Amino acid sequence: MSTINESRPADALRAGDRQADERATAAKPLGGIAGWMDDRLGAAKGVSFLAKKVFPDHWSFMLGEIAMYSMIVCLLTGAFLTFWFVPSASQVVYDGSYVPLQGVTMSDAYRSTLGISFDIRGGLLIRQIHHWAALIFVVSVFVHMARVFFTGAFRKPREINWVFGTILSLLACIEGFAGYSLPDDLLSGTGIRAMNGFMQSAPVIGSYLSYFVFGGAFPGEAIIPRLYSAHVLLIPAILVGLFTAHILLVFVHKHTQFPGPGRTNKNVVGYPLLPVYIAKAGGFFFIVFGVIALISAVVTINPIWAYGPYDPSPITAGSQPDWYMGFADGALRLLPGFLEFEAFGFTFSMNIFPGSLVLLPVMWTIIGVYPFVEAWVTGDKREHHLLDRPRNAPTRTAIGIAGITMYVVLFLAAGNDLMAIKLHLSINDITQTLRVLFFVAPPVAFWITKRICLSLQRADRQKVLHGRETGTIWRHADGRFEEIHAPLTPNERWVLVQHESHEPLQLTAGKDANGVDSPIARKERLRAKFSNFYFRDRVAPPTPSELEAAHHEHDDHGAAVDGGHEAIEQAGAARERETIKADKHRH
């Protein structure tokens, strides 16, 4: 028996509403399971919005995809490894299949890692895929950030997304360090011992901090379980959350795109997510996974059985951290020893503390706040969805190259001992040279990069005004030679002139009409100095009047003639030159 009351008197008053509801229900395009799900979740509108989302097509946008796909590979292989890895520092006697270590006392973490490598079918390959994917994840994140920086993709409204990416890159480095510390072999144990020394270098609280993290005196038995919890639970959860927020903001803000025909700050030219982009992205995922698997199958990385279990007494000769932590190791090697001093009964290890505990947060803080600094200097509050060509932002590009140069110097310093051995040089001479380069190389790189960008801008200006050089030399009747220049198409010309040329801010009077100092005068003077630093050297794109004048100059070139016969010859030559230009343009 039905419980629905079909004879309510008020139903007649809502007959029109019911008919409208029935028409709306009948108009729904979904049916079957999809319609049933949409009736309960209301997801059709969201799915339709995502399916129609347009993404531009450029090779540099794949760098972020590589980071995402390699992180997915890390998560999948990491889940596989957790089935057999034992995060314990308890001492056991190894009796596995690797003969050279049989009967050796080691931690349960090291024993289980050996078991994964030699006793689990496919375990060694999965371990190597996990490690290589982690390395590729970190490098792709940094390269993706470099692409975003040099093209100005961090500008409004994407400052928050830049901050998310900055935090994500820092956490990726920390996650990698926690991961390669887990096997408890001699190399990873050396890294943990270095971490202990770093924490102890913190003024006043260093020893307490080390005792808290290690759960007692070094090395203890608590550090491996704690690193394991951070590596497989805490940091991955934050990484996935930041990645999700990062992708959602890309959907909300729409994707940036390079300048080109039909591309403006109000549209996106590209392919929809479904079916085109999702198919390309899926194929690219398997390409990334295949390349990582191929590298892992043929190139050995972190052979822990060659290092042996960790023992605090020895140290691995020539030990190096993974590349993304190399710059921090290099900073420690470049800091002079005389910076250590005692005061108030405490030892201040300034020969270690700045490079170990200060460098990372300071470096990533500078990277994270840069978009806000540039926005303050330029005073630009507009939204930007078109990317800059790096040459059209010479100061920003030069700052980025200077930062990369400083990073490279620190990275090279991490291998000063190996360079001294292999090149038969003095390690002291190498260290002193790198100390000088740390201060000298970045300004030199800044100056060279800025000059190159300005030169490229001048070349673009000449190309717009005079056309593209064809290499064809025309000989006039009077013996003169002229190179034929092919005119640019409007689309080619637009890419070269579409950028803005910012002028330095001009200082205003620091006093009002009554002679009272402005409360923001000092701030505005500082801003004007930064603006002058950013935009003093600039090459403005050609204006339409300059382009028209250049065309008239080319048309009038050689027009001065003596005699009718020479005039006819030069007129014919001019027509022939124009024919050659047109032919070159068509081809």
Side-chain angles (χ1 to χ4, degrees):
M1 179 176 179
S2 176
T3 59
I4 299 177
N5 187 357
E6 298 179 353
S7 60
R8 292 180 297 179
D11 285 349
L13 300 177
R14 301 187 59 207
D17 294 343
R18 178 176 297 176
Q19 293 175 2
D21 292 341
E22 292 175 353
R23 287 194 301 269
T25 303
K28 285 187 176 181
L30 298 177
I33 297 178
W36 186 90
M37 293 291 293
D38 183 48
D39 288 340
R40 287 150 182 82
L41 301 177
K45 291 183 179 180
V47 173
S48 177
F49 170 78
L50 295 178
K52 296 177 182 178
K53 194 68 175 179
V54 175
F55 286 86
D57 194 23
H58 193 270
W59 67 268
S60 64
F61 299 148
M62 294 191 300
L63 299 173
E65 295 183 36
I66 294 175
M68 180 173 64
Y69 299 152
S70 55
M71 186 184 74
I72 293 174
V73 174
C74 281
L75 293 174
L76 295 176
T77 54
F80 176 88
L81 295 175
T82 57
F83 294 152
W84 291 279
F85 180 74
V86 180
S88 173
S90 300
Q91 298 297 300
V92 297
V93 177
Y94 179 71
D95 59 353
S97 59
Y98 187 65
V99 176
L101 289 177
Q102 288 181 352
V104 176
T105 302
M106 60 187 65
S107 67
D108 217 358
Y110 186 68
R111 181 203 57 78
S112 63
T113 308
L114 288 175
I116 293 173
S117 302
F118 295 107
D119 300 321
I120 303 301
R121 188 183 300 272
L124 180 58
L125 178 62
I126 297 299
R127 267 196 64 232
Q128 299 218 143
I129 290 177
H130 187 72
H131 201 138
W132 276 113
L135 296 179
I136 294 175
F137 169 61
V138 179
V139 71
S140 57
V141 167
F142 278 106
V143 176
H144 174 66
M145 289 184 65
R147 196 276 301 173
V148 172
F149 178 84
F150 287 118
T151 58
F154 55 78
R155 294 172 294 176
K156 183 181 178 180
R158 297 176 179 83
E159 301 96 333
I160 297 178
N161 228 4
W162 172 263
V163 174
F164 284 169
T166 304
I167 299 173
L168 192 148
S169 63
L170 176 59
L171 289 177
C173 294
I174 298 174
E175 172 77 345
F177 174 80
Y180 74 65
S181 299
L182 288 178
D184 199 35
D185 59 287
L186 186 55
L187 181 61
S188 64
T190 301
I192 295 178
R193 182 167 63 175
M195 180 183 72
N196 177 56
F198 297 161
M199 289 185 293
Q200 289 183 336
S201 69
V204 182
I205 65 170
S207 57
Y208 302 101
L209 182 62
S210 172
Y211 195 89
F212 172 77
V213 172
F214 284 89
F218 176 84
E221 295 188 358
I223 187 62
I224 291 180
R226 290 179 179 182
L227 285 176
Y228 181 77
S229 299
H231 182 70
V232 304
L233 181 61
L234 179 61
I235 300 178
I238 300 175
L239 286 175
V240 172
L242 287 174
F243 241 111
T244 303
H246 189 81
I247 298 300
L248 288 177
L249 286 178
V250 171
F251 278 92
V252 172
H253 295 150
K254 71 186 178 185
H255 206 293
T256 55
Q257 56 187 342
F258 283 95
R263 299 173 183 176
T264 67
N265 278 317
K266 298 182 179 179
N267 70 348
V268 178
V269 178
Y271 300 100
L273 182 64
L274 289 176
V276 179
Y277 198 82
I278 197 68
K280 296 175 66 175
F284 189 52
F285 167 76
F286 287 105
I287 291 176
V288 172
F289 184 83
V291 170
I292 294 175
L294 178 62
I295 296 174
S296 304
V298 299
V299 181
T300 300
I301 190 170
N302 195 25
I304 61 165
W305 52 88
Y307 307 140
Y310 177 63
D311 183 350
S313 57
I315 184 172
T316 305
S319 60
Q320 302 287 328
D322 276 347
W323 72 267
Y324 47 85
M325 297 300 291
F327 74 99
D329 190 14
L332 290 171
R333 301 188 186 201
L334 293 186
L335 285 169
F338 61 78
L339 294 178
E340 181 175 300
F341 62 93
E342 293 184 3
F344 308 106
F346 296 99
T347 300
F348 293 85
S349 301
M350 293 298 106
N351 57 335
I352 299 176
F353 177 65
S356 59
L357 297 183
V358 176
L359 178 64
L360 266 68
V362 169
M363 174 180 169
W364 263 272
T365 299
I366 294 174
I367 295 173
V369 303
Y370 180 84
F372 305 97
V373 174
E374 183 174 300
W376 175 72
V377 172
T378 61
D380 191 356
K381 305 299 182 182
R382 300 168 298 170
E383 289 192 3
H384 293 273
H385 303 289
L386 286 179
L387 300 173
D388 286 335
R389 301 175 75 202
R391 66 183 64 180
N392 294 332
T395 302
R396 180 204 300 151
T397 303
I399 289 174
I401 295 300
I404 293 175
T405 303
M406 185 179 295
Y407 176 90
V408 171
V409 172
L410 294 178
F411 181 80
L412 292 176
N416 59 352
D417 54 341
L418 297 180
M419 288 189 289
I421 294 172
K422 300 298 182 182
L423 301 178
H424 304 287
L425 298 174
S426 169
I427 188 172
N428 294 325
D429 293 341
I430 293 175
T431 302
Q432 293 293 346
T433 301
L434 291 173
R435 284 174 179 170
V436 174
L437 286 176
F438 179 80
F439 295 101
V440 174
V444 173
F446 176 90
W447 182 81
I448 293 175
T449 302
K450 191 171 183 179
R451 293 300 105 190
I452 292 175
C453 290
L454 292 173
S455 299
L456 292 173
Q457 283 185 298
R458 293 188 184 96
D460 288 344
R461 179 182 174 86
Q462 292 298 318
K463 186 183 294 186
V464 171
L465 293 177
H466 306 293
R468 184 188 305 106
E469 295 181 359
T470 63
T472 302
I473 306 300
W474 176 267
R475 185 173 184 270
H476 293 263
D478 59 359
R480 294 180 295 108
F481 291 91
E482 178 187 3
E483 183 182 11
I484 303 300
H485 285 239
L488 302 179
T489 64
N491 289 339
E492 293 173 333
R493 188 184 304 119
W494 186 86
V495 174
L496 301 181
V497 302
Q498 53 79 34
H499 62 281
E500 297 178 342
S501 180
H502 295 279
E503 295 185 2
L505 295 176
Q506 300 298 324
L507 278 175
T508 58
K511 300 179 183 295
D512 59 16
N514 299 320
V516 179
D517 290 335
S518 171
I520 61 172
R522 181 179 299 179
K523 179 180 177 182
E524 289 302 316
R525 283 196 297 269
L526 178 62
R527 182 182 173 195
K529 289 181 180 179
F530 275 105
S531 179
N532 188 63
F533 168 74
Y534 266 76
F535 306 120
R536 176 184 58 208
D537 300 324
R538 63 190 184 91
V539 178
T543 62
S545 59
E546 291 175 330
L547 184 60
E548 186 68 21
H551 286 175
H552 282 302
E553 180 183 348
H554 287 299
D555 293 339
D556 296 340
H557 183 68
V561 294
D562 295 325
H565 184 267
E566 293 183 0
I568 293 175
E569 285 185 350
Q570 293 197 7
R575 285 194 298 271
E576 189 169 353
R577 289 200 307 273
E578 292 299 326
T579 301
I580 293 176
K581 289 181 181 179
D583 291 341
K584 287 286 185 182
H585 178 61
R586 282 194 296 270
H587 294 293

